[in-house]
Amino acid sequence: MPMRDSGYRAVGAAAAIFALALSTRWLYVHQTGDHPLRDIPIGPSIAHVERAAGAAAGFASLYDAVLRGVGGDYGLVRGVQVALGAVNCVLAWALARAAGSRGVAIAAGLAAALYSPALYFAGELLPPVLATCLVLLSLLA
């Protein structure tokens, strides 16, 4: 019976971390969404958007292919990145749980959920959210 209790606690902890991470990321993206320049790519995101549109030469990354797949709907990209960022927090929790104790795992999940650069990148047209997910998945495999 203790094994089932541990499993329920693990699912509850993962769900709580996911909910916290999702709500913080969504809140950040929602608050910055009213800015008039929000839908205009700036800085490094210009290169990704141009490669996705086929307007720029150069190495096309997986992220560029994702941008091409959504056809310029930046709101959809940001929504997917918000959800993927929350998944990243659960993956960080799972990695810490596999390597350490339950307390370490919860601390890692909470730190990932509230890490401000991760919140920022969830709202930008840049690949760190996708890259982080792929790295965490490879570490868990």
Side-chain angles (χ1 to χ4, degrees):
M1 194 65 134
M3 188 71 134
R4 290 179 64 192
D5 186 29
S6 175
Y8 291 135
R9 285 185 183 176
V11 170
I17 289 169
F18 181 81
L20 176 65
L22 187 67
S23 62
T24 55
R25 282 156 178 73
W26 179 84
L27 185 62
Y28 170 76
V29 170
H30 180 69
Q31 286 181 341
T32 60
D34 293 337
H35 195 276
L37 298 176
R38 189 67 182 155
D39 289 331
I40 300 172
I42 58 171
S45 62
I46 293 172
H48 292 288
V49 170
E50 287 178 349
R51 282 194 301 265
F59 177 74
S61 66
L62 175 61
Y63 188 75
D64 299 337
V66 170
L67 286 178
R68 183 179 307 121
V70 298
D73 186 357
Y74 302 143
L76 177 61
V77 173
R78 288 187 178 98
V80 169
Q81 287 186 167
V82 162
L84 197 56
V87 169
N88 288 345
C89 297
V90 175
L91 291 174
W93 167 84
L95 185 63
R97 187 169 184 250
S101 68
R102 187 180 71 171
V104 169
I106 291 172
L110 291 175
L114 300 174
Y115 186 55
S116 59
L119 299 176
Y120 169 76
F121 282 115
E124 294 299 313
L125 298 174
L126 294 170
V129 176
L130 178 61
T132 302
C133 184
L134 296 175
V135 168
L136 289 170
L137 285 172
S138 69
L139 289 172
L140 282 170

